PDB file of all heavy atoms in Angstrom:
ATOM      1  N   LEU O   1     -42.681  -1.617 -49.279  1.00 45.00           N
ATOM      2  CA  LEU O   1     -42.275  -2.133 -47.949  1.00 45.00           C
ATOM      3  C   LEU O   1     -43.487  -2.198 -47.030  1.00 45.00           C
ATOM      4  O   LEU O   1     -43.645  -3.114 -46.256  1.00 45.00           O
ATOM      5  CB  LEU O   1     -41.225  -1.200 -47.389  1.00 45.00           C
ATOM      6  CG  LEU O   1     -40.537  -1.656 -46.079  1.00 45.00           C
ATOM      7  CD1 LEU O   1     -39.870  -3.004 -46.275  1.00 45.00           C
ATOM      8  CD2 LEU O   1     -39.571  -0.627 -45.578  1.00 45.00           C
ATOM      9  N   ASP O   2     -44.365  -1.214 -47.100  1.00 50.00           N
ATOM     10  CA  ASP O   2     -45.576  -1.218 -46.281  1.00 50.00           C
ATOM     11  C   ASP O   2     -46.466  -2.407 -46.619  1.00 50.00           C
ATOM     12  O   ASP O   2     -47.062  -3.006 -45.759  1.00 50.00           O
ATOM     13  CB  ASP O   2     -46.326   0.096 -46.537  1.00 50.00           C
ATOM     14  CG  ASP O   2     -45.681   1.281 -45.875  1.00 50.00           C
ATOM     15  OD1 ASP O   2     -44.847   1.067 -44.962  1.00 50.00           O
ATOM     16  OD2 ASP O   2     -45.919   2.432 -46.279  1.00 50.00           O
ATOM     17  N   LEU O   3     -46.556  -2.762 -47.905  1.00 54.00           N
ATOM     18  CA  LEU O   3     -47.455  -3.855 -48.318  1.00 54.00           C
ATOM     19  C   LEU O   3     -46.853  -5.149 -47.792  1.00 54.00           C
ATOM     20  O   LEU O   3     -47.670  -6.100 -47.438  1.00 54.00           O
ATOM     21  CB  LEU O   3     -47.499  -3.903 -49.845  1.00 54.00           C
ATOM     22  CG  LEU O   3     -48.414  -2.850 -50.496  1.00 54.00           C
ATOM     23  CD1 LEU O   3     -48.319  -2.965 -52.006  1.00 54.00           C
ATOM     24  CD2 LEU O   3     -49.859  -2.976 -50.055  1.00 54.00           C
ATOM     25  N   THR O   4     -45.528  -5.284 -47.740  1.00 61.00           N
ATOM     26  CA  THR O   4     -44.958  -6.581 -47.258  1.00 61.00           C
ATOM     27  C   THR O   4     -45.287  -6.826 -45.800  1.00 61.00           C
ATOM     28  O   THR O   4     -45.276  -8.017 -45.361  1.00 61.00           O
ATOM     29  CB  THR O   4     -43.438  -6.597 -47.476  1.00 61.00           C
ATOM     30  OG1 THR O   4     -42.865  -5.471 -46.735  1.00 61.00           O
ATOM     31  CG2 THR O   4     -43.050  -6.436 -48.890  1.00 61.00           C
ATOM     32  N   LYS O   5     -45.576  -5.799 -45.066  1.00 72.00           N
ATOM     33  CA  LYS O   5     -45.943  -5.950 -43.640  1.00 72.00           C
ATOM     34  C   LYS O   5     -47.238  -6.717 -43.502  1.00 72.00           C
ATOM     35  O   LYS O   5     -47.491  -7.290 -42.462  1.00 72.00           O
ATOM     36  CB  LYS O   5     -46.045  -4.601 -42.973  1.00 72.00           C
ATOM     37  CG  LYS O   5     -44.692  -3.871 -42.829  1.00 72.00           C
ATOM     38  CD  LYS O   5     -44.912  -2.503 -42.141  1.00 72.00           C
ATOM     39  CE  LYS O   5     -43.608  -1.737 -42.032  1.00 72.00           C
ATOM     40  NZ  LYS O   5     -43.826  -0.431 -41.373  1.00 72.00           N
ATOM     41  N   TYR O   6     -48.092  -6.672 -44.514  1.00 78.00           N
ATOM     42  CA  TYR O   6     -49.404  -7.248 -44.421  1.00 78.00           C
ATOM     43  C   TYR O   6     -49.559  -8.520 -45.241  1.00 78.00           C
ATOM     44  O   TYR O   6     -50.657  -8.989 -45.451  1.00 78.00           O
ATOM     45  CB  TYR O   6     -50.481  -6.207 -44.910  1.00 78.00           C
ATOM     46  CG  TYR O   6     -50.422  -4.919 -44.074  1.00 78.00           C
ATOM     47  CD1 TYR O   6     -49.806  -3.826 -44.576  1.00 78.00           C
ATOM     48  CD2 TYR O   6     -50.967  -4.864 -42.806  1.00 78.00           C
ATOM     49  CE1 TYR O   6     -49.778  -2.617 -43.811  1.00 78.00           C
ATOM     50  CE2 TYR O   6     -50.956  -3.712 -42.042  1.00 78.00           C
ATOM     51  CZ  TYR O   6     -50.331  -2.570 -42.551  1.00 78.00           C
ATOM     52  OH  TYR O   6     -50.296  -1.448 -41.806  1.00 78.00           O
ATOM     53  N   THR O   7     -48.423  -9.086 -45.698  1.00 82.00           N
ATOM     54  CA  THR O   7     -48.482 -10.264 -46.496  1.00 82.00           C
ATOM     55  C   THR O   7     -49.169 -11.447 -45.811  1.00 82.00           C
ATOM     56  O   THR O   7     -50.029 -12.137 -46.371  1.00 82.00           O
ATOM     57  CB  THR O   7     -47.054 -10.723 -46.882  1.00 82.00           C
ATOM     58  OG1 THR O   7     -46.406  -9.626 -47.592  1.00 82.00           O
ATOM     59  CG2 THR O   7     -47.080 -11.961 -47.776  1.00 82.00           C
ATOM     60  N   THR O   8     -48.861 -11.651 -44.495  1.00 85.00           N
ATOM     61  CA  THR O   8     -49.411 -12.752 -43.777  1.00 85.00           C
ATOM     62  C   THR O   8     -50.909 -12.523 -43.601  1.00 85.00           C
ATOM     63  O   THR O   8     -51.710 -13.473 -43.679  1.00 85.00           O
ATOM     64  CB  THR O   8     -48.775 -12.859 -42.352  1.00 85.00           C
ATOM     65  OG1 THR O   8     -47.361 -12.939 -42.531  1.00 85.00           O
ATOM     66  CG2 THR O   8     -49.288 -14.084 -41.613  1.00 85.00           C
ATOM     67  N   LEU O   9     -51.328 -11.243 -43.301  1.00 87.00           N
ATOM     68  CA  LEU O   9     -52.768 -10.976 -43.196  1.00 87.00           C
ATOM     69  C   LEU O   9     -53.511 -11.284 -44.483  1.00 87.00           C
ATOM     70  O   LEU O   9     -54.608 -11.847 -44.466  1.00 87.00           O
ATOM     71  CB  LEU O   9     -52.945  -9.520 -42.794  1.00 87.00           C
ATOM     72  CG  LEU O   9     -54.428  -8.995 -42.632  1.00 87.00           C
ATOM     73  CD1 LEU O   9     -55.156  -9.821 -41.590  1.00 87.00           C
ATOM     74  CD2 LEU O   9     -54.417  -7.518 -42.298  1.00 87.00           C
ATOM     75  N   PHE O  10     -52.912 -10.827 -45.595  1.00 88.00           N
ATOM     76  CA  PHE O  10     -53.565 -11.079 -46.922  1.00 88.00           C
ATOM     77  C   PHE O  10     -53.686 -12.559 -47.165  1.00 88.00           C
ATOM     78  O   PHE O  10     -54.723 -13.046 -47.657  1.00 88.00           O
ATOM     79  CB  PHE O  10     -52.731 -10.452 -48.034  1.00 88.00           C
ATOM     80  CG  PHE O  10     -52.692  -8.955 -48.054  1.00 88.00           C
ATOM     81  CD1 PHE O  10     -51.617  -8.265 -48.510  1.00 88.00           C
ATOM     82  CD2 PHE O  10     -53.788  -8.248 -47.530  1.00 88.00           C
ATOM     83  CE1 PHE O  10     -51.586  -6.824 -48.468  1.00 88.00           C
ATOM     84  CE2 PHE O  10     -53.795  -6.839 -47.535  1.00 88.00           C
ATOM     85  CZ  PHE O  10     -52.645  -6.142 -47.967  1.00 88.00           C
ATOM     86  N   ALA O  11     -52.623 -13.335 -46.826  1.00 86.00           N
ATOM     87  CA  ALA O  11     -52.649 -14.794 -46.994  1.00 86.00           C
ATOM     88  C   ALA O  11     -53.720 -15.453 -46.147  1.00 86.00           C
ATOM     89  O   ALA O  11     -54.480 -16.353 -46.614  1.00 86.00           O
ATOM     90  CB  ALA O  11     -51.297 -15.370 -46.654  1.00 86.00           C
ATOM     91  N   LEU O  12     -53.932 -14.963 -44.932  1.00 90.00           N
ATOM     92  CA  LEU O  12     -54.877 -15.480 -44.026  1.00 90.00           C
ATOM     93  C   LEU O  12     -56.322 -15.201 -44.550  1.00 90.00           C
ATOM     94  O   LEU O  12     -57.173 -16.083 -44.524  1.00 90.00           O
ATOM     95  CB  LEU O  12     -54.719 -14.807 -42.627  1.00 90.00           C
ATOM     96  CG  LEU O  12     -55.826 -15.240 -41.589  1.00 90.00           C
ATOM     97  CD1 LEU O  12     -55.810 -16.753 -41.329  1.00 90.00           C
ATOM     98  CD2 LEU O  12     -55.541 -14.509 -40.268  1.00 90.00           C
ATOM     99  N   ILE O  13     -56.554 -13.997 -45.065  1.00 91.00           N
ATOM    100  CA  ILE O  13     -57.853 -13.616 -45.588  1.00 91.00           C
ATOM    101  C   ILE O  13     -58.203 -14.465 -46.826  1.00 91.00           C
ATOM    102  O   ILE O  13     -59.312 -15.028 -46.952  1.00 91.00           O
ATOM    103  CB  ILE O  13     -57.911 -12.128 -45.961  1.00 91.00           C
ATOM    104  CG1 ILE O  13     -57.835 -11.277 -44.706  1.00 91.00           C
ATOM    105  CG2 ILE O  13     -59.170 -11.760 -46.732  1.00 91.00           C
ATOM    106  CD1 ILE O  13     -57.644  -9.792 -44.944  1.00 91.00           C
ATOM    107  N   ILE O  14     -57.254 -14.590 -47.726  1.00 91.00           N
ATOM    108  CA  ILE O  14     -57.435 -15.376 -48.942  1.00 91.00           C
ATOM    109  C   ILE O  14     -57.714 -16.881 -48.584  1.00 91.00           C
ATOM    110  O   ILE O  14     -58.655 -17.514 -49.149  1.00 91.00           O
ATOM    111  CB  ILE O  14     -56.233 -15.305 -49.855  1.00 91.00           C
ATOM    112  CG1 ILE O  14     -56.091 -13.879 -50.421  1.00 91.00           C
ATOM    113  CG2 ILE O  14     -56.353 -16.331 -51.037  1.00 91.00           C
ATOM    114  CD1 ILE O  14     -54.814 -13.612 -51.143  1.00 91.00           C
ATOM    115  N   LEU O  15     -56.965 -17.418 -47.664  1.00 90.00           N
ATOM    116  CA  LEU O  15     -57.120 -18.793 -47.269  1.00 90.00           C
ATOM    117  C   LEU O  15     -58.482 -18.975 -46.602  1.00 90.00           C
ATOM    118  O   LEU O  15     -59.170 -20.017 -46.815  1.00 90.00           O
ATOM    119  CB  LEU O  15     -56.041 -19.211 -46.281  1.00 90.00           C
ATOM    120  CG  LEU O  15     -56.033 -20.661 -45.772  1.00 90.00           C
ATOM    121  CD1 LEU O  15     -55.882 -21.646 -46.936  1.00 90.00           C
ATOM    122  CD2 LEU O  15     -54.918 -20.852 -44.791  1.00 90.00           C
ATOM    123  N   PHE O  16     -58.907 -18.016 -45.806  1.00 92.00           N
ATOM    124  CA  PHE O  16     -60.224 -18.100 -45.156  1.00 92.00           C
ATOM    125  C   PHE O  16     -61.287 -18.157 -46.187  1.00 92.00           C
ATOM    126  O   PHE O  16     -62.248 -18.918 -46.065  1.00 92.00           O
ATOM    127  CB  PHE O  16     -60.385 -16.839 -44.217  1.00 92.00           C
ATOM    128  CG  PHE O  16     -61.607 -16.931 -43.335  1.00 92.00           C
ATOM    129  CD1 PHE O  16     -61.553 -17.434 -42.063  1.00 92.00           C
ATOM    130  CD2 PHE O  16     -62.828 -16.500 -43.801  1.00 92.00           C
ATOM    131  CE1 PHE O  16     -62.665 -17.514 -41.241  1.00 92.00           C
ATOM    132  CE2 PHE O  16     -63.966 -16.557 -42.995  1.00 92.00           C
ATOM    133  CZ  PHE O  16     -63.883 -17.074 -41.727  1.00 92.00           C
ATOM    134  N   ILE O  17     -61.245 -17.256 -47.220  1.00 92.00           N
ATOM    135  CA  ILE O  17     -62.279 -17.162 -48.218  1.00 92.00           C
ATOM    136  C   ILE O  17     -62.316 -18.520 -49.018  1.00 92.00           C
ATOM    137  O   ILE O  17     -63.398 -19.020 -49.299  1.00 92.00           O
ATOM    138  CB  ILE O  17     -62.018 -16.038 -49.164  1.00 92.00           C
ATOM    139  CG1 ILE O  17     -62.205 -14.667 -48.457  1.00 92.00           C
ATOM    140  CG2 ILE O  17     -62.930 -16.107 -50.387  1.00 92.00           C
ATOM    141  CD1 ILE O  17     -61.766 -13.431 -49.176  1.00 92.00           C
ATOM    142  N   ILE O  18     -61.154 -19.005 -49.420  1.00 90.00           N
ATOM    143  CA  ILE O  18     -61.110 -20.236 -50.155  1.00 90.00           C
ATOM    144  C   ILE O  18     -61.699 -21.462 -49.318  1.00 90.00           C
ATOM    145  O   ILE O  18     -62.462 -22.216 -49.866  1.00 90.00           O
ATOM    146  CB  ILE O  18     -59.634 -20.631 -50.545  1.00 90.00           C
ATOM    147  CG1 ILE O  18     -59.105 -19.604 -51.555  1.00 90.00           C
ATOM    148  CG2 ILE O  18     -59.551 -22.022 -51.111  1.00 90.00           C
ATOM    149  CD1 ILE O  18     -57.667 -19.741 -51.861  1.00 90.00           C
ATOM    150  N   SER O  19     -61.351 -21.467 -48.028  1.00 90.00           N
ATOM    151  CA  SER O  19     -61.843 -22.517 -47.164  1.00 90.00           C
ATOM    152  C   SER O  19     -63.365 -22.447 -46.982  1.00 90.00           C
ATOM    153  O   SER O  19     -64.030 -23.478 -46.938  1.00 90.00           O
ATOM    154  CB  SER O  19     -61.171 -22.419 -45.778  1.00 90.00           C
ATOM    155  OG  SER O  19     -59.779 -22.582 -45.886  1.00 90.00           O
ATOM    156  N   ALA O  20     -63.890 -21.233 -46.951  1.00 90.00           N
ATOM    157  CA  ALA O  20     -65.330 -20.999 -46.817  1.00 90.00           C
ATOM    158  C   ALA O  20     -66.072 -21.569 -48.025  1.00 90.00           C
ATOM    159  O   ALA O  20     -67.204 -22.091 -47.925  1.00 90.00           O
ATOM    160  CB  ALA O  20     -65.655 -19.532 -46.634  1.00 90.00           C
ATOM    161  N   PHE O  21     -65.468 -21.366 -49.224  1.00 89.00           N
ATOM    162  CA  PHE O  21     -66.096 -21.895 -50.405  1.00 89.00           C
ATOM    163  C   PHE O  21     -65.927 -23.425 -50.513  1.00 89.00           C
ATOM    164  O   PHE O  21     -66.847 -24.052 -51.073  1.00 89.00           O
ATOM    165  CB  PHE O  21     -65.412 -21.231 -51.647  1.00 89.00           C
ATOM    166  CG  PHE O  21     -66.041 -19.890 -52.036  1.00 89.00           C
ATOM    167  CD1 PHE O  21     -65.298 -18.730 -51.793  1.00 89.00           C
ATOM    168  CD2 PHE O  21     -67.270 -19.855 -52.567  1.00 89.00           C
ATOM    169  CE1 PHE O  21     -65.885 -17.504 -52.113  1.00 89.00           C
ATOM    170  CE2 PHE O  21     -67.862 -18.624 -52.913  1.00 89.00           C
ATOM    171  CZ  PHE O  21     -67.126 -17.444 -52.681  1.00 89.00           C
ATOM    172  N   MET O  22     -64.911 -23.948 -49.980  1.00 87.00           N
ATOM    173  CA  MET O  22     -64.678 -25.403 -50.103  1.00 87.00           C
ATOM    174  C   MET O  22     -65.579 -26.210 -49.163  1.00 87.00           C
ATOM    175  O   MET O  22     -65.947 -27.314 -49.504  1.00 87.00           O
ATOM    176  CB  MET O  22     -63.203 -25.715 -49.748  1.00 87.00           C
ATOM    177  CG  MET O  22     -62.205 -25.287 -50.833  1.00 87.00           C
ATOM    178  SD  MET O  22     -60.513 -25.636 -50.349  1.00 87.00           S
ATOM    179  CE  MET O  22     -60.505 -27.457 -50.412  1.00 87.00           C
ATOM    180  N   SER O  23     -65.952 -25.604 -48.065  1.00 83.00           N
ATOM    181  CA  SER O  23     -66.849 -26.314 -47.110  1.00 83.00           C
ATOM    182  C   SER O  23     -67.766 -25.352 -46.373  1.00 83.00           C
ATOM    183  O   SER O  23     -67.294 -24.382 -45.831  1.00 83.00           O
ATOM    184  CB  SER O  23     -66.004 -27.111 -46.084  1.00 83.00           C
ATOM    185  OG  SER O  23     -66.810 -27.667 -45.115  1.00 83.00           O
ATOM    186  N   ARG O  24     -69.044 -25.669 -46.437  1.00 84.00           N
ATOM    187  CA  ARG O  24     -70.022 -24.802 -45.743  1.00 84.00           C
ATOM    188  C   ARG O  24     -69.930 -24.933 -44.229  1.00 84.00           C
ATOM    189  O   ARG O  24     -70.456 -24.116 -43.506  1.00 84.00           O
ATOM    190  CB  ARG O  24     -71.445 -25.154 -46.211  1.00 84.00           C
ATOM    191  CG  ARG O  24     -71.852 -26.563 -45.947  1.00 84.00           C
ATOM    192  CD  ARG O  24     -73.218 -26.900 -46.610  1.00 84.00           C
ATOM    193  NE  ARG O  24     -73.580 -28.295 -46.408  1.00 84.00           N
ATOM    194  CZ  ARG O  24     -74.229 -28.728 -45.313  1.00 84.00           C
ATOM    195  NH1 ARG O  24     -74.578 -27.893 -44.384  1.00 84.00           N
ATOM    196  NH2 ARG O  24     -74.575 -30.040 -45.229  1.00 84.00           N
ATOM    197  N   HIS O  25     -69.269 -25.963 -43.789  1.00 86.00           N
ATOM    198  CA  HIS O  25     -69.096 -26.156 -42.329  1.00 86.00           C
ATOM    199  C   HIS O  25     -67.953 -25.337 -41.747  1.00 86.00           C
ATOM    200  O   HIS O  25     -67.885 -25.146 -40.558  1.00 86.00           O
ATOM    201  CB  HIS O  25     -68.861 -27.629 -42.021  1.00 86.00           C
ATOM    202  CG  HIS O  25     -69.955 -28.550 -42.456  1.00 86.00           C
ATOM    203  ND1 HIS O  25     -71.177 -28.541 -41.812  1.00 86.00           N
ATOM    204  CD2 HIS O  25     -70.016 -29.483 -43.422  1.00 86.00           C
ATOM    205  CE1 HIS O  25     -71.999 -29.434 -42.398  1.00 86.00           C
ATOM    206  NE2 HIS O  25     -71.334 -30.018 -43.375  1.00 86.00           N
ATOM    207  N   PHE O  26     -67.061 -24.825 -42.647  1.00 90.00           N
ATOM    208  CA  PHE O  26     -65.882 -24.163 -42.184  1.00 90.00           C
ATOM    209  C   PHE O  26     -66.191 -22.916 -41.340  1.00 90.00           C
ATOM    210  O   PHE O  26     -65.587 -22.718 -40.326  1.00 90.00           O
ATOM    211  CB  PHE O  26     -64.984 -23.761 -43.423  1.00 90.00           C
ATOM    212  CG  PHE O  26     -63.830 -22.938 -42.970  1.00 90.00           C
ATOM    213  CD1 PHE O  26     -62.718 -23.532 -42.406  1.00 90.00           C
ATOM    214  CD2 PHE O  26     -63.816 -21.560 -43.191  1.00 90.00           C
ATOM    215  CE1 PHE O  26     -61.581 -22.757 -42.022  1.00 90.00           C
ATOM    216  CE2 PHE O  26     -62.722 -20.761 -42.800  1.00 90.00           C
ATOM    217  CZ  PHE O  26     -61.610 -21.351 -42.233  1.00 90.00           C
ATOM    218  N   THR O  27     -67.193 -22.120 -41.742  1.00 90.00           N
ATOM    219  CA  THR O  27     -67.438 -20.840 -41.104  1.00 90.00           C
ATOM    220  C   THR O  27     -68.321 -20.982 -39.866  1.00 90.00           C
ATOM    221  O   THR O  27     -68.634 -19.956 -39.221  1.00 90.00           O
ATOM    222  CB  THR O  27     -68.090 -19.885 -42.063  1.00 90.00           C
ATOM    223  OG1 THR O  27     -69.268 -20.488 -42.668  1.00 90.00           O
ATOM    224  CG2 THR O  27     -67.157 -19.491 -43.176  1.00 90.00           C
ATOM    225  N   LYS O  28     -68.725 -22.153 -39.482  1.00 92.00           N
ATOM    226  CA  LYS O  28     -69.534 -22.369 -38.312  1.00 92.00           C
ATOM    227  C   LYS O  28     -68.669 -21.985 -37.068  1.00 92.00           C
ATOM    228  O   LYS O  28     -67.504 -22.309 -36.973  1.00 92.00           O
ATOM    229  CB  LYS O  28     -70.017 -23.788 -38.190  1.00 92.00           C
ATOM    230  CG  LYS O  28     -71.058 -24.130 -39.241  1.00 92.00           C
ATOM    231  CD  LYS O  28     -71.619 -25.504 -39.026  1.00 92.00           C
ATOM    232  CE  LYS O  28     -72.720 -25.829 -39.976  1.00 92.00           C
ATOM    233  NZ  LYS O  28     -73.287 -27.218 -39.822  1.00 92.00           N
ATOM    234  N   ILE O  29     -69.284 -21.306 -36.112  1.00 92.00           N
ATOM    235  CA  ILE O  29     -68.577 -20.807 -34.971  1.00 92.00           C
ATOM    236  C   ILE O  29     -67.868 -21.938 -34.207  1.00 92.00           C
ATOM    237  O   ILE O  29     -66.705 -21.757 -33.742  1.00 92.00           O
ATOM    238  CB  ILE O  29     -69.544 -20.087 -33.937  1.00 92.00           C
ATOM    239  CG1 ILE O  29     -70.150 -18.848 -34.616  1.00 92.00           C
ATOM    240  CG2 ILE O  29     -68.807 -19.687 -32.697  1.00 92.00           C
ATOM    241  CD1 ILE O  29     -69.185 -17.806 -35.023  1.00 92.00           C
ATOM    242  N   GLY O  30     -68.511 -23.036 -34.067  1.00 92.00           N
ATOM    243  CA  GLY O  30     -67.920 -24.198 -33.372  1.00 92.00           C
ATOM    244  C   GLY O  30     -66.629 -24.677 -34.062  1.00 92.00           C
ATOM    245  O   GLY O  30     -65.664 -24.946 -33.383  1.00 92.00           O
ATOM    246  N   ASN O  31     -66.652 -24.683 -35.375  1.00 93.00           N
ATOM    247  CA  ASN O  31     -65.431 -25.099 -36.098  1.00 93.00           C
ATOM    248  C   ASN O  31     -64.280 -24.096 -36.007  1.00 93.00           C
ATOM    249  O   ASN O  31     -63.118 -24.451 -35.786  1.00 93.00           O
ATOM    250  CB  ASN O  31     -65.747 -25.319 -37.611  1.00 93.00           C
ATOM    251  CG  ASN O  31     -64.559 -25.865 -38.375  1.00 93.00           C
ATOM    252  OD1 ASN O  31     -64.024 -26.906 -38.082  1.00 93.00           O
ATOM    253  ND2 ASN O  31     -64.117 -25.059 -39.401  1.00 93.00           N
ATOM    254  N   LEU O  32     -64.623 -22.816 -36.085  1.00 94.00           N
ATOM    255  CA  LEU O  32     -63.641 -21.749 -35.947  1.00 94.00           C
ATOM    256  C   LEU O  32     -63.001 -21.755 -34.574  1.00 94.00           C
ATOM    257  O   LEU O  32     -61.774 -21.565 -34.422  1.00 94.00           O
ATOM    258  CB  LEU O  32     -64.250 -20.361 -36.261  1.00 94.00           C
ATOM    259  CG  LEU O  32     -64.752 -20.185 -37.701  1.00 94.00           C
ATOM    260  CD1 LEU O  32     -65.383 -18.798 -37.824  1.00 94.00           C
ATOM    261  CD2 LEU O  32     -63.613 -20.345 -38.732  1.00 94.00           C
ATOM    262  N   LEU O  33     -63.814 -21.943 -33.535  1.00 95.00           N
ATOM    263  CA  LEU O  33     -63.310 -22.006 -32.176  1.00 95.00           C
ATOM    264  C   LEU O  33     -62.431 -23.240 -31.979  1.00 95.00           C
ATOM    265  O   LEU O  33     -61.464 -23.211 -31.219  1.00 95.00           O
ATOM    266  CB  LEU O  33     -64.451 -21.961 -31.173  1.00 95.00           C
ATOM    267  CG  LEU O  33     -65.170 -20.670 -30.974  1.00 95.00           C
ATOM    268  CD1 LEU O  33     -66.358 -20.802 -30.081  1.00 95.00           C
ATOM    269  CD2 LEU O  33     -64.208 -19.577 -30.410  1.00 95.00           C
TER     270      LEU O  33
END
């Protein structure tokens, strides 16, 4: 039950990592803002 509370956070982290690998422009501050 405790783990299910963080499902959205885990999904966000995984998606962020995948996106960073897919495009080098993704992690630029301007793009994130």
Side-chain angles (χ1 to χ4, degrees):
L1 188 60
D2 287 338
L3 286 175
T4 59
K5 293 179 181 179
Y6 302 101
T7 301
T8 306
L9 178 60
F10 293 150
L12 177 59
I13 292 171
I14 292 169
L15 182 61
F16 189 93
I17 293 171
I18 292 173
S19 300
F21 274 107
M22 288 180 66
S23 173
R24 60 188 177 85
H25 298 292
F26 174 77
T27 54
K28 290 184 177 179
I29 297 299
N31 184 59
L32 296 177
L33 287 174

